[in-house]
Amino acid sequence: MMSLRVHTRVGCVRPLPGAERMAIGTFGSTSRAAAEAVESLPGVAEVVPVSRPFKLASREVIPEDTVVHVGPVPLGGASALAVIAGPCSIESRDQILATARAVRAAGATALRGGAFKPRSSPYSFQGHGEEGLRMLRAGADQHGLKLISEVMDASQIQLMDKYVDMYQLGARNMQNYTLLREMGKVRKPILLKRGISATLEEWLLSAEYLLAGGNTQVILCERGIRTFETYTRNTMDISAIPVLKKLTHLPVFADPSHGIGKRDQVAAMARASIAAGADGLLIEVHCDPDKAWSDGAQSLFPGQFDRLMAELRIIAPAIGRSICTEPAVRSGW
Amino acid sequence: MMSLRVHTRVGCVRPLPGAERMAIGTFGSTSRAAAEAVESLPGVAEVVPVSRPFKLASREVIPEDTVVHVGPVPLGGASALAVIAGPCSIESRDQILATARAVRAAGATALRGGAFKPRSSPYSFQGHGEEGLRMLRAGADQHGLKLISEVMDASQIQLMDKYVDMYQLGARNMQNYTLLREMGKVRKPILLKRGISATLEEWLLSAEYLLAGGNTQVILCERGIRTFETYTRNTMDISAIPVLKKLTHLPVFADPSHGIGKRDQVAAMARASIAAGADGLLIEVHCDPDKAWSDGAQSLFPGQFDRLMAELRIIAPAIGRSICTEPAVRSGW
Amino acid sequence: MMSLRVHTRVGCVRPLPGAERMAIGTFGSTSRAAAEAVESLPGVAEVVPVSRPFKLASREVIPEDTVVHVGPVPLGGASALAVIAGPCSIESRDQILATARAVRAAGATALRGGAFKPRSSPYSFQGHGEEGLRMLRAGADQHGLKLISEVMDASQIQLMDKYVDMYQLGARNMQNYTLLREMGKVRKPILLKRGISATLEEWLLSAEYLLAGGNTQVILCERGIRTFETYTRNTMDISAIPVLKKLTHLPVFADPSHGIGKRDQVAAMARASIAAGADGLLIEVHCDPDKAWSDGAQSLFPGQFDRLMAELRIIAPAIGRSICTEPAVRSGW
Amino acid sequence: MMSLRVHTRVGCVRPLPGAERMAIGTFGSTSRAAAEAVESLPGVAEVVPVSRPFKLASREVIPEDTVVHVGPVPLGGASALAVIAGPCSIESRDQILATARAVRAAGATALRGGAFKPRSSPYSFQGHGEEGLRMLRAGADQHGLKLISEVMDASQIQLMDKYVDMYQLGARNMQNYTLLREMGKVRKPILLKRGISATLEEWLLSAEYLLAGGNTQVILCERGIRTFETYTRNTMDISAIPVLKKLTHLPVFADPSHGIGKRDQVAAMARASIAAGADGLLIEVHCDPDKAWSDGAQSLFPGQFDRLMAELRIIAPAIGRSICTEPAVRSGW
């Protein structure tokens, strides 16, 4: 056992425990001479330069898959594929209870629903706030589901922490660095969505803000990028899934609802995401989509969601995975 | 039986035989009064206005799936999924024979290979021309495969027609209207690739040129679009597959090799394409990818292609399809 | 004189005083019958439906140009064209003083400089914070310039308000709705930059958040969009300038430094912006660009800035405008 | 005087006469040893490796501005700025005569008009062909203008050569390599438009096809790229102008009509193009735009074109240029 003191400009030295040996990350460009000096110390196996601008998020630094735990249920790595489902906005107690019942029956492991809504127009519905979170918590608890909801600003963290099991950080806030820095201090899992025109490198650098802040429970979620196409709302970048799985150890989810934006095509994109290697899905399901206050056109009917889950159970084994089918309540969530 | 004479400004009237009744397409905007006059004729069931700018390519005009026949083998509709494989460029007789043997053993139904190569730089290898086509024909025949090769200009049609079973019309020529018009007169199947920044509507309008010219044996092939991403060569638009299947009756193929451009991720994109509903695949396989004259970085090793075919056989049933596994030679190709 | 009480769902009724008559904006879709009922009231000249999703930002609602006042100096409308110049980051007292002296001598009317820096990587320099603002204030005051600096989060407003004459709201925060809502309450001018892949409509909707919040002193600033080009950092969308001038009454500025990202081409883009009708410019100038901590490659040398100002003085009359050439200190800033 | 024989794989050796010395371009990657062997030959001053993928188009190979001659009138270099104007499609003899008269009176130096039209839909008007060219020639001759028209296919060259002074190669054909190769053999100037999503490098490589084929009279013409914006038809990439002027010696023109696609904003984009350093403009003017068969919404009225020319005459001196104001007929065109 030894103690190692390192001076770097940014003052950031981080222990990265692995299965077989302990890595210690330092930042800033270091001369080859300095690297050799460290390498010659007793107990130091090797000094590995990291070529990517993202460090803690890269497989170069952490080769093994990160497994994120939401309560007792693992996400990522070799875990069963997990499906998080629910409405875009929390509208009413009845809407949440009916949707929670339906998605749990079909095999979902967590409930989604927005209480704070980022809207392009200041005149659109902006969400029910705390009252919505209370409804969502009740719906999740009643059906043995965990829950996720979107945080839009650091000022909401204290309030939300009483209700959520997992935070969503939305596409429009992917480069809100103040929020990223605050969320790095939180000790609950974060699902980080990709910005609508972000490159993979920019996205991983945003994840790096969370990891550098101390929160290692980060999931990346592809949700469609902006292209020239007008027949779809966005163009879901399925290719991001295998590329990310190579670049990073973080779990990769996919949101086919925002990814394509049309109900009829959501199932096809969900199947494609799983076939491409995603660790899980985030899907909009509504007990009565035609009356939804937002995103109705891309929300599945409960029956459609049920059929999709059946299709996914057939595809998953083709890539050596399975779908979490145990009712969440039994597994102790 | 009756004879119907219609005057329209563009002079284009086309019989469209369907399973249950005969449709007759006319073009140009027609007044409601004229439509009613036609509708009142004996033998006319109804006049259906077509809202899309593409007509013959739309499901509004032709609701049933088009099945394209390459020899005795059907592509599209409820047919078995077909995989076309082979090198980017035809390099040598040995390369073609070795690759043909490998892809046939793994279950491919046709061989691909370029004799005329569209290259960004005038100083890059431009293809072996007729000598290459002769090699490709020999390789295909020896292993009971059909073959496809790219046509770049109307002046090549006469020569190519002696060798090919199916033409590829490449991404850079998707809006080469002179070539599209000439290819409309050809009586062999055409695989029409999507332009690198084309919208689905522009692509279907290019297909419309072929159909309006009289060639109904058209397959659409997604091959990746240009986005801001730099970790991949292109961004494969998997979402185009289900959207096209809804808009058009033409078969939809996918080219995961150009779609993502990196060998390690080709299999993931091939699986995703099938899971999303593609009718078949076009894949670059090379007997020795590291020595390929072009596209080596995205060409699969024969062993990788073999494993991919096994994965696809598991996924296909999830969408009610199967992979063509009968050696092509036995089925009379 | 009359009092008018209107009930609308969003509860938003706003008086919009114009030169000749008072407009009253209400929101929410209203039936034609309701509109006619209002129109029949005494003192109501007409009810004008607003077709754009942005309302207070549109010329339909407010036809006359908005003139923003930074102290006594007007920006927009028929005012002289204004140029805001300075470094990307505030680095040191000497750097600020030297740069302020140079840009004032060349004819700039305000000084720019970042104290809080949004950076893609958590390991990059993040700005000097309050200490930087103090330096910037001193540099501006010493040379009779007003100053602008970027706000990244609502928590910085109280601190910044002691130092700045005008806030910059950066591209990455264009859809940070929490920040937009807070900035709507501020009573100093805001320069709102366009998000890197934002459409004009999304941008105007973000301005609408500020206007709806009560801050009418808003300037839009084009700063380049993301395209496929790799020879430039961004692609400056000069076409946004005349289109915005038609859609909105707000002043439109241009930032050619971020717009193109290469020092050699900044002057060409600055000239083009003015020729296209921009109301002013935001330009990066550094006393010693090769030693800049950030954006050095796109910062002008003082001599280049001086030559550019001379060129702009020739172009401005072609569109019926002039460049503010009076030293700012004399005009009472 | 000496004779130099060089063997290279692509067999391409090209003399490049300059003002002070003769350069000889060879292609293919050459070892440093071979370069040194050539450098040691008598009469060889130096061997300069060219880093860009485009060679003959680069300033590294040819530092001096290329001046293209259309009859006696020079385009590019330090020449007066030239404006080419006319309708999108050639519709009738009267339309051409009226438009030719108007654009010549305002100061245009050449007439544009399409006889072969590339149209997205096979059902749109495809052009009058030779009859149209005859009208265009008559209109140009009657008003002392030179003329330009678009070639879509190699099969049209022989016919067109009887009528045109200059060929336009359109955006959709920018990567039609068969056409590029044939046009390289033509001995009249070519205006090469940028593909709608082409990078500058791809565009210059297409110019390289023309130059490598032996045609050195090439002008590049920016005409707008595809972006996410919906308020304009395209996004005119003004930044391409100064970047191209640095990368290449070829003249750079701009087409503000297609660049922005809306009549009201064409003048702003024309002014911006000149302010950014363009060598000339290609503008759509129609004697009666509201009745135009194509592109009416972006065609200027003659009066608008006249006012624009007056504005350009003010701006040009700011960049040390002038507008060609001598009636073309007098200067011997």
Side-chain angles (χ1 to χ4, degrees):
Chain A
M1 182 59 199
M2 62 163 292
S3 156
L4 176 64
R5 194 187 303 177
V6 184
H7 295 276
T8 71
R9 199 160 53 125
V10 296
C12 183
V13 176
R14 188 171 305 282
L16 305 161
E20 298 196 359
R21 58 189 193 177
M22 165 74 84
I24 297 175
T26 70
F27 301 93
S29 55
T30 318
S31 69
R32 184 65 211 145
E36 280 169 7
V38 171
E39 208 159 39
S40 68
L41 293 174
V44 173
E46 59 176 335
V47 171
V48 182
V50 178
S51 59
R52 305 287 187 194
F54 46 91
K55 310 294 177 188
L56 302 174
S58 79
R59 279 212 189 265
E60 290 174 285
V61 171
I62 302 179
E64 300 96 347
D65 285 337
T66 284
V67 177
V68 169
H69 289 85
V70 182
V73 178
L75 307 177
S79 318
L81 303 172
V83 179
I84 302 170
C88 173
S89 297
I90 302 163
E91 298 164 11
S92 69
R93 179 167 290 267
D94 286 352
Q95 170 232 24
I96 290 298
L97 288 179
T99 305
R101 185 184 318 114
V103 303
R104 181 187 169 295
T109 47
L111 184 65
R112 59 152 291 159
F116 299 101
K117 303 297 304 170
R119 302 302 293 271
S120 304
S121 166
Y123 312 122
S124 301
F125 173 58
Q126 311 270 326
H128 278 319
E130 182 165 15
E131 181 53 30
L133 290 171
R134 214 172 285 136
M135 296 177 196
L136 194 67
R137 184 75 267 170
D141 287 348
Q142 186 159 336
H143 293 286
L145 293 162
K146 291 287 168 183
L147 74 81
I148 182 171
S149 198
E150 178 168 353
V151 59
M152 284 176 63
D153 191 72
S155 62
Q156 299 162 349
I157 297 175
Q158 201 179 356
L159 167 65
M160 291 188 70
D161 221 53
K162 291 186 283 179
Y163 299 97
V164 306
D165 301 309
M166 191 174 179
Y167 288 93
Q168 176 179 317
L169 218 154
R172 289 188 180 91
N173 278 315
M174 195 201 84
Q175 294 192 314
N176 179 338
Y177 299 120
T178 308
L179 180 56
L180 288 168
R181 235 180 254 114
E182 291 304 311
M183 294 304 294
K185 301 175 193 162
V186 165
R187 287 299 164 270
K188 284 185 178 169
I190 298 170
L191 183 138
L192 176 65
K193 287 201 162 184
R194 180 183 189 175
I196 203 169
S197 74
T199 62
L200 298 184
E201 188 167 300
E202 290 170 331
W203 190 9
L204 288 165
L205 278 166
S206 290
E208 188 80 9
Y209 266 90
L210 298 172
L211 300 173
N215 190 332
T216 59
Q217 298 284 290
V218 176
I219 292 175
L220 300 167
C221 183
E222 161 66 23
R223 46 80 70 209
I225 54 172
R226 181 165 281 182
T227 68
F228 306 137
E229 188 49 53
T230 54
Y231 279 100
T232 51
R233 182 175 176 188
N234 296 303
T235 294
M236 193 167 177
D237 182 6
I238 300 282
S239 69
I241 298 168
V243 176
L244 284 175
K245 294 296 288 181
K246 186 165 185 183
L247 292 173
T248 184
H249 50 87
L250 298 173
V252 178
F253 270 52
D255 171 353
S257 309
H258 287 87
I260 195 158
K262 292 195 172 175
R263 190 187 298 150
D264 285 355
Q265 274 101 34
V266 167
M269 299 317 286
R271 292 192 308 259
S273 300
I274 294 303
D279 294 301
L281 299 171
L282 185 72
I283 300 188
E284 288 188 346
V285 179
H286 193 288
C287 55
D288 190 357
D290 292 336
K291 297 200 181 129
W293 296 11
S294 59
D295 284 356
Q298 70 191 31
S299 296
L300 295 186
F301 286 90
Q304 291 178 307
F305 180 61
D306 201 55
R307 280 192 295 282
L308 170 59
M309 291 297 286
E311 293 169 349
L312 298 182
R313 284 188 194 98
I314 302 176
I315 292 173
I319 48 160
R321 303 288 284 269
S322 64
I323 299 278
C324 183
T325 50
E326 282 300 303
V329 67
R330 289 189 209 154
S331 66
W333 274 49
Chain B
M1 180 62 197
M2 63 164 293
S3 155
L4 177 64
R5 192 185 305 176
V6 183
H7 295 276
T8 71
R9 196 159 55 126
V10 297
C12 182
V13 176
R14 189 171 305 283
L16 306 161
E20 298 196 0
R21 57 188 195 178
M22 164 74 84
I24 296 175
T26 71
F27 301 94
S29 54
T30 318
S31 68
R32 183 66 211 147
E36 279 168 8
V38 172
E39 208 159 39
S40 67
L41 292 174
V44 174
E46 59 175 336
V47 171
V48 182
V50 179
S51 58
R52 305 285 186 196
F54 46 91
K55 310 292 179 192
L56 302 175
S58 78
R59 280 214 189 263
E60 289 174 285
V61 172
I62 302 178
E64 299 95 350
D65 285 336
T66 283
V67 177
V68 169
H69 289 86
V70 183
V73 178
L75 307 177
S79 318
L81 302 172
V83 180
I84 303 170
C88 173
S89 297
I90 302 163
E91 298 165 10
S92 71
R93 179 167 290 267
D94 286 354
Q95 171 232 23
I96 291 298
L97 288 180
T99 306
R101 186 184 317 114
V103 303
R104 181 190 170 294
T109 48
L111 185 64
R112 58 153 291 158
F116 300 101
K117 302 298 304 170
R119 303 301 294 268
S120 305
S121 167
Y123 311 122
S124 301
F125 173 59
Q126 312 270 326
H128 278 318
E130 182 165 15
E131 181 55 26
L133 291 171
R134 213 172 286 133
M135 295 176 196
L136 194 67
R137 184 74 268 168
D141 286 349
Q142 187 159 335
H143 293 287
L145 294 161
K146 291 288 168 183
L147 73 83
I148 182 171
S149 199
E150 178 168 354
V151 59
M152 282 176 63
D153 191 73
S155 62
Q156 298 162 350
I157 297 175
Q158 202 179 356
L159 167 65
M160 290 188 71
D161 221 54
K162 292 187 284 181
Y163 300 98
V164 306
D165 301 310
M166 191 175 179
Y167 289 92
Q168 176 179 316
L169 218 153
R172 288 188 182 92
N173 279 315
M174 194 201 83
Q175 294 192 313
N176 180 338
Y177 299 119
T178 309
L179 180 56
L180 288 168
R181 237 181 254 114
E182 290 304 312
M183 293 304 294
K185 301 175 192 161
V186 165
R187 287 300 164 268
K188 284 184 179 170
I190 298 170
L191 182 138
L192 175 64
K193 287 201 163 184
R194 179 184 190 175
I196 202 169
S197 73
T199 61
L200 298 183
E201 188 167 300
E202 289 170 332
W203 190 9
L204 288 165
L205 278 166
S206 289
E208 188 80 9
Y209 266 90
L210 299 172
L211 300 173
N215 189 332
T216 59
Q217 298 284 289
V218 176
I219 291 175
L220 300 167
C221 183
E222 160 66 24
R223 47 77 72 211
I225 55 172
R226 180 164 282 181
T227 67
F228 306 136
E229 189 49 53
T230 54
Y231 279 101
T232 51
R233 183 176 175 188
N234 296 304
T235 295
M236 192 167 180
D237 182 6
I238 299 283
S239 70
I241 298 169
V243 176
L244 285 175
K245 295 295 288 180
K246 184 165 187 183
L247 292 173
T248 184
H249 50 87
L250 298 173
V252 179
F253 271 51
D255 172 352
S257 308
H258 286 86
I260 195 158
K262 293 196 171 174
R263 189 187 299 150
D264 286 356
Q265 274 101 35
V266 167
M269 299 317 287
R271 293 191 309 259
S273 300
I274 294 303
D279 293 301
L281 298 172
L282 185 73
I283 300 189
E284 289 189 346
V285 179
H286 193 289
C287 56
D288 190 356
D290 292 336
K291 295 200 182 130
W293 296 11
S294 58
D295 283 356
Q298 71 191 32
S299 296
L300 295 186
F301 286 91
Q304 292 178 307
F305 180 61
D306 201 53
R307 280 192 296 281
L308 169 60
M309 291 297 286
E311 292 169 348
L312 298 181
R313 284 188 194 98
I314 301 175
I315 292 174
I319 49 161
R321 303 287 285 267
S322 65
I323 298 279
C324 184
T325 50
E326 282 301 302
V329 69
R330 291 189 206 153
S331 66
W333 273 49
Chain C
M1 181 60 198
M2 64 164 293
S3 155
L4 176 64
R5 193 185 304 175
V6 184
H7 295 276
T8 70
R9 199 160 53 124
V10 296
C12 184
V13 176
R14 189 172 304 282
L16 305 161
E20 301 197 358
R21 58 189 193 177
M22 164 75 83
I24 297 175
T26 70
F27 301 94
S29 55
T30 317
S31 68
R32 184 65 212 146
E36 279 168 7
V38 171
E39 208 158 39
S40 67
L41 292 174
V44 173
E46 58 175 337
V47 170
V48 182
V50 179
S51 59
R52 306 287 187 193
F54 47 92
K55 310 295 177 189
L56 302 175
S58 79
R59 280 215 189 263
E60 290 175 284
V61 171
I62 302 179
E64 301 95 348
D65 285 336
T66 285
V67 178
V68 168
H69 289 86
V70 182
V73 179
L75 308 177
S79 318
L81 303 171
V83 180
I84 303 170
C88 173
S89 297
I90 302 164
E91 299 165 10
S92 69
R93 179 167 290 267
D94 286 352
Q95 171 232 23
I96 290 297
L97 288 179
T99 305
R101 186 183 317 115
V103 303
R104 181 188 170 294
T109 46
L111 183 65
R112 58 153 291 158
F116 300 101
K117 303 297 304 169
R119 303 303 294 269
S120 304
S121 166
Y123 312 123
S124 301
F125 172 59
Q126 311 271 326
H128 277 320
E130 182 166 13
E131 181 55 28
L133 290 171
R134 214 172 284 136
M135 295 176 196
L136 194 67
R137 185 74 267 170
D141 286 348
Q142 187 160 335
H143 293 286
L145 294 161
K146 291 286 168 184
L147 73 82
I148 183 172
S149 198
E150 178 168 353
V151 59
M152 284 177 62
D153 191 71
S155 63
Q156 298 161 349
I157 297 175
Q158 201 180 354
L159 167 66
M160 291 188 70
D161 221 52
K162 291 186 284 180
Y163 299 98
V164 307
D165 301 308
M166 191 176 179
Y167 288 92
Q168 175 179 317
L169 218 154
R172 289 189 181 91
N173 279 315
M174 195 202 82
Q175 294 192 315
N176 180 339
Y177 299 120
T178 309
L179 180 56
L180 288 168
R181 236 180 254 114
E182 291 303 312
M183 294 304 293
K185 301 175 194 163
V186 165
R187 287 298 165 269
K188 284 184 179 170
I190 298 170
L191 183 138
L192 176 64
K193 287 200 161 184
R194 180 184 189 175
I196 202 169
S197 73
T199 62
L200 298 184
E201 187 167 301
E202 290 170 332
W203 190 8
L204 288 166
L205 278 166
S206 290
E208 188 79 8
Y209 266 90
L210 298 173
L211 299 173
N215 190 332
T216 60
Q217 298 284 291
V218 176
I219 292 175
L220 300 167
C221 183
E222 161 65 24
R223 46 79 72 208
I225 55 172
R226 181 165 279 182
T227 67
F228 306 136
E229 188 49 54
T230 55
Y231 278 101
T232 51
R233 182 175 176 190
N234 296 305
T235 294
M236 192 166 178
D237 181 5
I238 299 284
S239 69
I241 298 168
V243 176
L244 284 175
K245 295 296 287 182
K246 185 165 185 183
L247 292 174
T248 184
H249 50 87
L250 298 173
V252 178
F253 271 52
D255 171 353
S257 309
H258 287 86
I260 195 158
K262 292 194 173 177
R263 191 186 297 151
D264 285 355
Q265 274 100 36
V266 167
M269 300 317 286
R271 292 191 309 259
S273 300
I274 294 303
D279 294 300
L281 299 171
L282 185 72
I283 300 189
E284 288 188 346
V285 179
H286 193 287
C287 54
D288 190 357
D290 293 337
K291 296 198 182 133
W293 296 11
S294 59
D295 283 357
Q298 71 192 31
S299 296
L300 295 187
F301 284 91
Q304 291 178 308
F305 179 61
D306 202 53
R307 280 192 296 282
L308 170 60
M309 291 297 287
E311 293 169 348
L312 298 182
R313 284 188 194 99
I314 302 175
I315 292 174
I319 48 160
R321 302 288 285 267
S322 65
I323 298 280
C324 183
T325 48
E326 282 300 303
V329 68
R330 290 190 207 152
S331 66
W333 273 50
Chain D
M1 180 60 196
M2 63 165 291
S3 155
L4 176 64
R5 192 185 305 176
V6 183
H7 295 275
T8 70
R9 197 159 55 124
V10 296
C12 183
V13 176
R14 188 171 306 281
L16 305 162
E20 299 197 0
R21 58 188 195 180
M22 164 73 84
I24 297 175
T26 70
F27 301 94
S29 54
T30 317
S31 68
R32 184 64 213 147
E36 280 169 7
V38 172
E39 208 159 41
S40 68
L41 291 174
V44 174
E46 58 175 337
V47 171
V48 182
V50 179
S51 59
R52 306 285 186 196
F54 46 91
K55 311 293 179 191
L56 302 174
S58 79
R59 280 214 189 265
E60 289 174 286
V61 171
I62 302 178
E64 299 95 351
D65 285 336
T66 284
V67 177
V68 168
H69 289 85
V70 182
V73 178
L75 307 177
S79 317
L81 303 172
V83 179
I84 302 170
C88 173
S89 296
I90 302 163
E91 298 165 11
S92 70
R93 179 167 290 268
D94 287 352
Q95 171 231 23
I96 291 297
L97 288 179
T99 305
R101 185 184 318 114
V103 303
R104 181 188 169 295
T109 46
L111 185 65
R112 59 153 291 159
F116 300 101
K117 302 298 305 169
R119 302 302 295 269
S120 305
S121 166
Y123 311 121
S124 301
F125 173 58
Q126 312 270 326
H128 278 318
E130 181 165 15
E131 181 54 27
L133 290 171
R134 214 172 285 135
M135 295 177 197
L136 195 67
R137 183 75 269 167
D141 286 349
Q142 187 160 334
H143 293 286
L145 294 161
K146 292 287 168 184
L147 75 81
I148 182 171
S149 199
E150 178 168 354
V151 59
M152 283 176 62
D153 191 72
S155 63
Q156 298 161 349
I157 297 175
Q158 202 180 353
L159 168 66
M160 290 188 70
D161 220 53
K162 292 186 282 181
Y163 300 98
V164 306
D165 302 308
M166 192 175 179
Y167 289 93
Q168 175 179 317
L169 218 153
R172 289 188 181 90
N173 278 316
M174 194 201 83
Q175 294 193 314
N176 180 338
Y177 299 120
T178 309
L179 180 56
L180 288 169
R181 236 180 254 114
E182 289 305 312
M183 293 304 294
K185 301 175 193 161
V186 165
R187 287 298 164 268
K188 283 185 179 169
I190 298 170
L191 183 138
L192 175 65
K193 286 201 164 184
R194 179 184 189 174
I196 202 169
S197 74
T199 62
L200 298 184
E201 188 167 300
E202 290 170 332
W203 190 8
L204 288 166
L205 278 166
S206 290
E208 188 79 9
Y209 266 90
L210 299 172
L211 299 173
N215 190 332
T216 59
Q217 298 284 290
V218 176
I219 291 175
L220 300 167
C221 183
E222 160 66 22
R223 47 77 72 209
I225 55 173
R226 180 164 281 182
T227 66
F228 307 135
E229 189 48 55
T230 54
Y231 278 101
T232 51
R233 183 176 176 188
N234 296 304
T235 295
M236 192 166 179
D237 182 6
I238 300 282
S239 70
I241 298 169
V243 176
L244 284 174
K245 295 295 288 180
K246 185 164 186 184
L247 292 173
T248 184
H249 50 88
L250 298 172
V252 178
F253 270 52
D255 172 351
S257 309
H258 287 87
I260 195 158
K262 292 197 172 173
R263 189 187 298 150
D264 285 356
Q265 274 100 37
V266 167
M269 299 317 287
R271 293 191 309 258
S273 300
I274 294 303
D279 293 300
L281 298 171
L282 185 73
I283 300 190
E284 288 188 347
V285 179
H286 193 289
C287 56
D288 190 356
D290 292 336
K291 296 200 182 131
W293 296 11
S294 57
D295 283 357
Q298 71 192 32
S299 296
L300 295 187
F301 286 90
Q304 292 178 307
F305 180 60
D306 202 55
R307 279 192 297 280
L308 170 60
M309 291 298 286
E311 293 169 348
L312 298 181
R313 284 188 195 99
I314 302 175
I315 292 174
I319 49 161
R321 302 288 284 268
S322 65
I323 298 280
C324 183
T325 51
E326 282 300 304
V329 68
R330 293 191 205 149
S331 67
W333 273 48

